[in-house]
């Protein structure tokens, strides 16, 4: 078997420990389900071609391509999923107040409690856990004391994605457990299946997830994990939001906790820095860093943090804004070289403070690996808490984040940032500029009103599972009868299955809710055509007011022809040729119409 040494090192460097890639694959990698090159997956081979040896299976896989096989296997898994809760959910699913514009009021009423000290207990698979919320003064004192520490975050995004793996795992075991034959290979393949569903997610970079899970195991006695099940603080303060998620999503999210942490484990708070930023009390933490060596690992958009925080010994180590997971081992070596040059880790001085804003899971990996090499430093993943100091750069600040959409004015007031931004924005009034530019309600109004069942139905349709898609689309419509997207999807599915009258009724319901929804009106017109209601169809097309290049001229011609209006039908076909050029099928229809017109004239 050909082992691509560069590919193997890129993804399995943590396992090699200096071993030659080809030898490692022969001695260990093959039996563990590692991929020797990007075109061959031994686990797919075991499932698809169990009777073939590895060389023959490689040729068989290559005939269609590995990706085609993975798509087919992912389709098999999706066909067995009974609930979408772990795969698609909305922020509002865990909020008592579902309306985005009314929701912030309750949190603002308890604003001063957002960063209060406390504990949130919870249970996972008959085990007991808790999240400890420290006050900003406690973290300030930790920084000021000069005590080396490591506080990486296990972010809600990673937890949610691992919840999907938890949902897929029993299906993979049931379908192919005998072929995969070990828990490790079942886990690896489950992760690869979810990667097919999220091809752009860096979390599922080959073997990265396994490395994160190994770090979680190492943390049990060495350092605390800062756990988050939600993106930002709210009130009343609960684990996921102001209300609980569905039981299915809860159990899926808890899988990674119960599998990798012992009963009684106490986590630190994964959104602590956002809490401190929200109330403005992060200022005391910044003051504690003022005269210390501070290193920020983040993309280039945050290079000015030292100036904006008034830090006297600040160093920015830039990493790419995307795809850093693929080059994480190279980045680790480059950052380590920079640390050596900056004397980070020297134990004859106060430890340097290392901050990251690099995506929670990558930050976790980087901080852990750096801590192993340079233990005499203080490591914190500050995440998006620093974004509020970059509101003049939307690419860095990401004002579309819901914690800013909901609370931007209160947060910027708490940190006295409007005076800072006034000279940086057009017109010199940053409060008005931000309100009119980023926080005018447009983004919130565009957020979908439907639940996760609709998104899952759309995903099933992309995998050519229309029967299953229909189940979830109907479930989505039953739960949110006034949401447009489930209506659009149901209309399309009913039409696909030939249920034209139901499709027409659904389209009319949607148009009643959203009269200007162009896609729905086009489907509605198509259904009228399918049902042979030509006059209504032509009126419906005219009412949409489509540009000439988007008019369905062939169908319009057919409708006129069916009503005996041959001249109008002929004119539309000639317009089609004028717009798109000569086509044999259109010429054939023109000759037919000319013959019909001639026959009519002869009579």
């Amino acid at each position: 078997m050909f082992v691509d040494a560069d590919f193997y090192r890129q993804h399995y460097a943590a396992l090699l420990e200096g071993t030659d890639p080809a030898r490692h694959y022969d001695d260990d990698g093959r039996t563990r389900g590692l991929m020797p090159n990007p075109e061959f997956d031994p686990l797919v081979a075991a499932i698809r071609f169990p009777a073939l040896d590895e060389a023959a299976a490689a040729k068989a896989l290559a005939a269609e391509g590995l990706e085609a096989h993975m798509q087919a296997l992912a389709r098999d898994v999706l066909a067995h999923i009974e609930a979408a809760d772990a795969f698609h959910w909305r922020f509002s699913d865990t909020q008592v107040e579902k309306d985005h514009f009314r929701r912030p009021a309750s949190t603002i009423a308890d604003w001063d409690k957002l960063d209060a000290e406390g504990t949130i207990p919870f249970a996972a698979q008959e085990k007991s856990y808790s999240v400890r919320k420290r006050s900003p003064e406690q973290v300030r004192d930790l920084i000021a004391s000069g005590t080396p520490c490591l506080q990486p975050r296990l972010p809600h995004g990673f937890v949610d994605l691992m919840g999907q793996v938890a949902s897929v795992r029993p299906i993979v075991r049931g379908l192919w457990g005998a072929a995969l034959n070990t828990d490790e290979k079942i886990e690896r393949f489950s992760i690869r299946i979810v990667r097919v569903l999220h091809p752009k997610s860096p979390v599922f970079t080959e073997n990265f997830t396994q490395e994160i899970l190994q770090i979680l195991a190492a943390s049990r006695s060495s350092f605390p994990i800062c756990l988050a099940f939600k993106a930002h603080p709210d009130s009343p303060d609960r684990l996921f939001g102001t209300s609980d998620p569905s039981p299915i999503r809860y159990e899926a999210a808890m899988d990674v906790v119960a599998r990798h942490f012992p009963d009684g484990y106490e986590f630190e708070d994964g959104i602590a820095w956002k809490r401190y930023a929200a109330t403005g009390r992060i200022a005391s933490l910044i003051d504690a860093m003022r005269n210390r060596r501070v290193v920020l690992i983040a993309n280039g958009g945050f290079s000015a943090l030292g100036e904006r925080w008034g830090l006297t010994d600040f160093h920015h180590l830039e990493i790419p804004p995307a795809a850093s997971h693929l080059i994480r081992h190279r980045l680790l070596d480059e950052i380590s070289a920079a640390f050596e040059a900056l004397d980070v880790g020297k134990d004859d001085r106060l430890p340097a403070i290392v901050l990251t804003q690099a995506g929670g899971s990558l930050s976790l990996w980087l901080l852990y690996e750096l801590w192993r090499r340079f233990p005499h430093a203080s490591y914190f993943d500050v995440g998006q808490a620093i974004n509020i100091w970059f509101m003049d750069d939307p690419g860095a600040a990401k004002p579309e984040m819901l914690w800013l959409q909901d609370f931007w004015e209160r947060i910027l007031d708490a940190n006295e940032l409007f005076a800072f931004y006034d000279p940086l924005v057009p017109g010199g009034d940053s409060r008005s500029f931000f309100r009119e530019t980023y926080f005018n309600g447009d983004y919130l109004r565009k957020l979908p009103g439907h639940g996760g069942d609709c998104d899952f139905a759309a995903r099933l349709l992309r995998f050519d599972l229309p029967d299953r898609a229909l189940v979830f689309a109907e479930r989505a419509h039953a739960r949110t009868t006034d949401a447009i997207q489930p209506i659009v999807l149901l209309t399309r599915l009913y039409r696909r299955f030939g249920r034209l009258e139901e499709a027409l009724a659904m389209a009319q319901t949607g148009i009643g809710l959203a009269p200007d929804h162009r896609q729905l009106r086009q489907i509605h017109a198509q259904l009228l055509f399918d049902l042979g209601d030509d006059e209504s169809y032509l009126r419906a097309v005219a009412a949409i007011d489509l540009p000439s290049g988007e008019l369905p001229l062939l169908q319009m011609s057919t409708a006129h022809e069916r009503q005996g209006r041959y001249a109008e039908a002929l004119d539309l076909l000639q317009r089609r040729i004028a717009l798109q050029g000569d086509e044999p099928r259109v010429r054939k229809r023109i000759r037919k119409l000319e013959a019909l017109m001639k026959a009519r004239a002869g009579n």
Side-chain angles (χ1 to χ4, degrees):
M1 171 55 62
F2 167 65
V3 176
D4 183 328
D6 290 337
F7 171 88
Y8 207 85
R9 288 192 186 95
Q10 181 182 41
H11 295 292
Y12 306 120
L15 303 175
L16 284 172
E17 297 181 345
T19 306
D20 174 74
R23 179 175 179 180
H24 185 275
Y25 179 72
D26 284 337
D27 291 348
D28 191 42
R30 179 183 290 105
T31 59
R32 297 178 64 179
L34 308 190
M35 295 173 61
N37 59 68
E39 284 78 39
F40 181 76
D41 184 337
L43 303 183
V44 175
I47 292 168
R48 291 299 230 192
F49 308 107
L52 300 182
D53 62 28
E54 191 174 70
K59 290 181 180 179
L61 278 180
E64 293 184 40
L66 178 59
E67 182 59 26
H69 286 279
M70 287 301 301
Q71 290 283 328
L73 294 168
R75 182 179 185 274
D76 291 341
V77 171
L78 285 172
H80 287 79
I81 291 172
E82 297 296 333
D85 302 50
F87 289 85
H88 293 281
W89 55 274
R90 300 285 176 210
F91 174 73
S92 58
D93 292 346
T94 53
Q95 298 298 312
V96 172
E97 175 54 73
K98 306 296 185 185
D99 185 275
H100 286 288
F101 293 95
R102 293 197 300 264
R103 187 182 61 252
S106 61
T107 296
I108 288 174
D110 292 328
W111 197 257
D112 292 340
K113 300 177 183 177
L114 286 187
D115 59 11
E117 184 180 359
T119 300
I120 303 177
F122 66 97
Q125 299 179 12
E126 300 182 351
K127 297 179 182 179
S128 298
Y129 299 96
S130 61
V131 174
R132 181 177 180 180
K133 297 162 51 184
R134 295 183 186 271
S135 70
E137 289 78 16
Q138 290 174 313
V139 179
R140 176 204 63 198
D141 292 346
L142 174 63
I143 294 171
S145 71
T147 304
C149 63
L150 171 62
Q151 294 202 352
R153 286 189 311 123
L154 183 62
H156 69 97
F158 184 86
V159 170
D160 287 335
L161 287 171
M162 291 308 297
Q164 296 184 28
V165 174
S167 299
V168 162
R169 188 188 300 117
I171 298 172
V172 169
R173 187 182 299 277
L175 291 173
W176 307 300
L180 299 177
N181 68 45
T182 71
D183 288 343
E184 179 182 5
K185 288 192 281 191
I186 288 170
E187 187 74 3
R188 281 192 180 277
F189 194 67
S190 299
I191 290 168
R192 289 173 189 166
I193 287 291
V194 179
R195 183 173 67 205
V196 175
L197 307 182
H198 300 280
K200 295 182 180 179
S201 173
V203 169
F204 294 114
T205 298
E206 175 62 21
N207 205 57
F208 176 73
T209 306
Q210 282 84 355
E211 291 176 24
I212 292 294
L213 297 178
Q214 289 167 1
I215 292 171
L216 300 187
S219 74
R220 295 173 185 173
S221 58
S222 304
F223 55 88
I225 287 290
C226 304
L227 176 64
F229 289 102
K230 59 185 178 182
H232 62 74
D234 46 27
S235 179
D237 194 14
R238 298 165 69 91
L239 206 60
F240 286 83
T242 56
S243 68
D244 291 328
S246 73
I248 292 172
R249 184 185 162 213
Y250 184 93
E251 288 301 319
M254 290 299 163
D255 181 81
V256 69
V257 173
R259 278 175 168 264
H260 298 284
F261 295 95
D263 187 19
Y265 188 91
E266 183 178 65
F267 296 92
E268 294 292 325
D269 180 17
I271 57 171
W273 287 82
K274 274 188 178 176
R275 294 183 192 277
Y276 310 150
T279 62
R281 294 168 74 190
I282 194 173
S284 66
L285 281 67
I286 298 171
D287 285 342
M289 302 181 204
R290 195 81 66 190
N291 297 312
R292 296 274 292 281
R293 174 156 293 180
V294 177
V295 179
L296 172 68
I297 302 170
N299 70 59
F302 300 100
S303 60
L305 183 69
E307 177 185 351
R308 297 188 175 194
W309 275 11
L311 304 177
T312 59
D313 189 0
F314 175 79
H315 305 269
H316 172 231
L317 301 182
E318 183 175 355
I319 62 173
S324 294
H325 298 65
L326 280 170
I327 57 171
R328 61 190 181 277
H329 294 283
R330 191 186 83 197
L331 286 175
L332 176 63
D333 289 340
E334 292 173 354
I335 293 169
S336 297
F339 274 25
E340 294 282 0
L342 292 169
D343 288 335
V344 172
K346 295 286 187 180
D347 58 8
D348 59 348
R349 64 190 68 187
L350 281 174
I353 298 167
V354 180
L355 310 176
T356 55
Q357 208 281 29
S361 56
L362 180 62
S363 287
L364 191 160
W365 187 90
L366 280 173
L367 291 181
Y368 173 72
E369 295 296 341
L370 288 168
W371 172 73
R372 292 176 67 196
R373 296 183 181 190
F374 305 91
H376 190 71
S378 300
Y379 296 92
F380 300 95
D381 178 11
V382 292
Q384 295 167 345
I386 66 174
N387 289 32
I388 60 174
W389 278 271
F390 295 88
M391 295 296 296
D392 53 320
D393 178 2
K398 300 189 185 315
E400 69 276 9
M401 293 186 301
L402 281 178
W403 79 304
L404 293 179
Q405 287 289 323
D406 285 346
F407 308 117
W408 67 277
E409 192 165 18
R410 190 64 181 261
I411 292 170
L412 296 186
D413 266 330
N415 290 278
E416 301 179 352
L417 284 171
F418 285 114
F420 169 76
Y421 285 121
D422 282 343
L424 301 180
V425 302
D429 181 354
S430 58
R431 191 184 302 266
S432 297
F433 176 80
F434 292 148
R435 180 180 290 112
E436 294 167 5
T437 306
Y438 307 141
F439 308 114
N440 53 24
D442 285 351
Y443 177 80
L444 293 176
R445 279 187 284 271
K446 292 176 183 176
L447 290 176
H450 57 271
D453 286 320
C454 182
D455 294 324
F456 194 66
R459 183 184 295 278
L460 290 167
L461 203 52
R462 289 195 292 274
F463 278 83
D464 195 27
L465 291 165
D467 292 325
R468 298 294 297 152
L470 182 60
V471 171
F472 285 91
E474 289 181 330
R475 190 181 297 171
H477 179 58
R479 291 179 175 176
T480 52
T481 56
D482 59 346
I484 292 299
Q485 200 53 40
I487 290 174
V488 174
L489 190 55
L490 266 181
T491 302
R492 290 170 53 202
L493 284 165
Y494 284 150
R495 179 172 181 259
R496 177 168 180 164
F497 287 111
R499 296 161 61 175
L500 300 183
E501 295 290 351
E502 291 173 272
L504 183 64
M506 189 62 63
Q508 290 168 339
T509 297
I511 291 172
L513 292 168
D516 297 326
H517 197 288
R518 175 171 286 194
Q519 182 187 14
L520 199 53
R521 292 178 68 183
Q522 287 177 291
I523 299 172
H524 175 251
Q526 178 65 55
L527 286 163
L528 293 169
F529 178 85
D530 295 341
L531 289 163
D533 189 348
D534 296 320
E535 299 298 347
S536 296
Y537 164 72
L538 291 167
R539 286 195 298 271
V541 171
I544 300 173
D545 194 26
L546 292 167
S548 59
E550 296 180 21
L551 286 169
L553 296 174
L554 291 179
Q555 282 192 349
M556 292 169 67
S557 173
T558 299
H560 280 292
E561 180 184 342
R562 291 194 305 215
Q563 296 302 310
R565 295 191 290 268
Y566 302 145
E568 289 89 339
L570 181 61
D571 177 66
L572 288 166
L573 293 179
Q574 290 168 339
R575 286 172 60 187
R576 163 82 177 213
I577 288 176
L579 285 169
Q580 300 191 21
D582 208 354
E583 297 177 72
R585 61 173 180 154
V586 177
R587 282 294 175 192
K588 184 177 180 180
R589 286 190 58 185
I590 287 175
R591 289 193 296 271
K592 175 188 172 185
L593 285 168
E594 288 173 340
L596 289 169
M597 293 171 68
K598 184 176 180 180
R600 177 180 286 176
N603 293 332

